[in-house]
Amino acid sequence: SQQGEEDPQALSIQEGENATMNCSYKTSINNLQWYRQNSGRGLVHLILIRSNEREKHSGRLRVTLDTSKKSSSLLITASRAADTASYFCATVSNDYKLSFGAGTTVTVRA
Amino acid sequence: DAMVIQNPRYQVTQFGKPVTLSCSQTLNHNVMYWYQQKSSQAPKLLFHYYDKDFNNEADTPDNFQSRRPNTSFCFLDIRSPGLGDAAMYLCATSRLMTDYEQYFGPGTRLTVT
């Protein structure tokens, strides 16, 4: 069943701006992952943050995790047209399976 | 490059006509997953194999079956596709189930006419 919920559902920004999206979940987790999906393609893993971590960086990506609020955020800095995609958070609980949210669709305008 | 390959990328089948989707991996990963993703929705796990052990999700319809003849290959069989089975089917792999990212193939888009 779906565990995460992303907010907003859709986001449109100008190239060079930052994009922030949020994910909330319901039950305790082992880790939380973010994936990107270009239109009509498979998912690409972006970053994994463990339940005992609060912040993680990877290139232009910054992920935070607040387990007390059961929420995570993904920040993409200095966005590019190639960042146009859907972004999904996925939680991993004790059953070790990924449970995806419905995603945030990001459009970066040139 | 090590990767997850899905064939075909697009599949059209008739209502009720059995169809098989194929996934192969060169990553030598222990776990292979099949997800169903309908338009603008989250991917939904159908089942997974840990080595030869098959694990079906409780809400996966009986119409969906899977085979994993060896480490590299995994198949999704839909015995009698209905219009509601039209979706993108994603195959993924991971080295283990604990604390590891999953590697996804490009997906097979299934159309049922």
Side-chain angles (χ1 to χ4, degrees), chain A residues 2 31 33 35 37 40-43 45 48 50 88 95-98 100-102, chain B residues 9 35 37 41-43 45 48 57 88 90 97-102 104-106:
Chain A
Q2 189 172 318
N31 67 73
Q33 303 179 29
Y35 287 80
Q37 185 176 36
R41 306 283 297 184
L43 286 85
H45 180 265
L48 181 155
R50 293 182 173 79
F88 292 86
D95 61 4
Y96 304 117
K97 299 173 191 174
L98 286 179
F100 286 91
Chain B
R9 293 291 315 281
Y35 291 85
Q37 186 181 24
Q41 293 186 21
L45 181 64
H48 73 273
E57 292 301 295
M88 175 77 88
L90 298 165
M97 289 193 73
T98 56
D99 221 22
Y100 283 90
E101 66 194 76
Q102 292 185 16
F104 283 80

Side-chain angles (χ1 to χ4, degrees), chain A residues 1 3 27-33 35 90-100, chain B residues 31 33 35 45-48 55-60 94 96-100 102:
Chain A
S1 61
Q3 151 96 294
T27 62
S28 62
I29 61 171
N30 286 327
N31 67 73
L32 184 145
Q33 303 179 29
Y35 287 80
T91 56
V92 178
S93 300
N94 289 336
D95 61 4
Y96 304 117
K97 299 173 191 174
L98 286 179
S99 180
F100 286 91
Chain B
V31 194
Y33 308 81
Y35 291 85
L45 181 64
L46 295 173
F47 24 60
H48 73 273
N55 296 270
N56 200 27
E57 292 301 295
D59 56 356
T60 297
S94 66
L96 296 172
M97 289 193 73
T98 56
D99 221 22
Y100 283 90
Q102 292 185 16

Side-chain angles (χ1 to χ4, degrees), chain A residues 14-99:
Chain A
Q14 201 74 28
E15 205 165 21
E17 292 180 340
N18 295 342
T20 300
M21 59 210 85
N22 303 294
C23 170
S24 59
Y25 57 91
K26 299 186 181 79
T27 62
S28 62
I29 61 171
N30 286 327
N31 67 73
L32 184 145
Q33 303 179 29
W34 286 90
Y35 287 80
R36 184 185 75 231
Q37 185 176 36
N38 291 90
S39 180
R41 306 283 297 184
L43 286 85
V44 174
H45 180 265
L46 295 176
I47 200 163
L48 181 155
I49 187 166
R50 293 182 173 79
S51 59
N52 61 353
E53 297 175 314
R54 291 297 166 257
E55 187 170 314
K56 214 161 178 183
H57 296 255
S58 176
R60 293 184 295 112
L61 305 179
R62 174 178 168 256
V63 169
T64 63
L65 179 64
D66 186 336
T67 52
S68 67
K69 293 182 180 176
K70 292 188 169 59
S71 68
S72 173
S73 69
L74 171 67
L75 167 68
I76 305 172
T77 60
S79 62
R80 305 167 181 168
D83 296 327
T84 294
S86 292
Y87 292 82
F88 292 86
C89 72
T91 56
V92 178
S93 300
N94 289 336
D95 61 4
Y96 304 117
K97 299 173 191 174
L98 286 179
S99 180

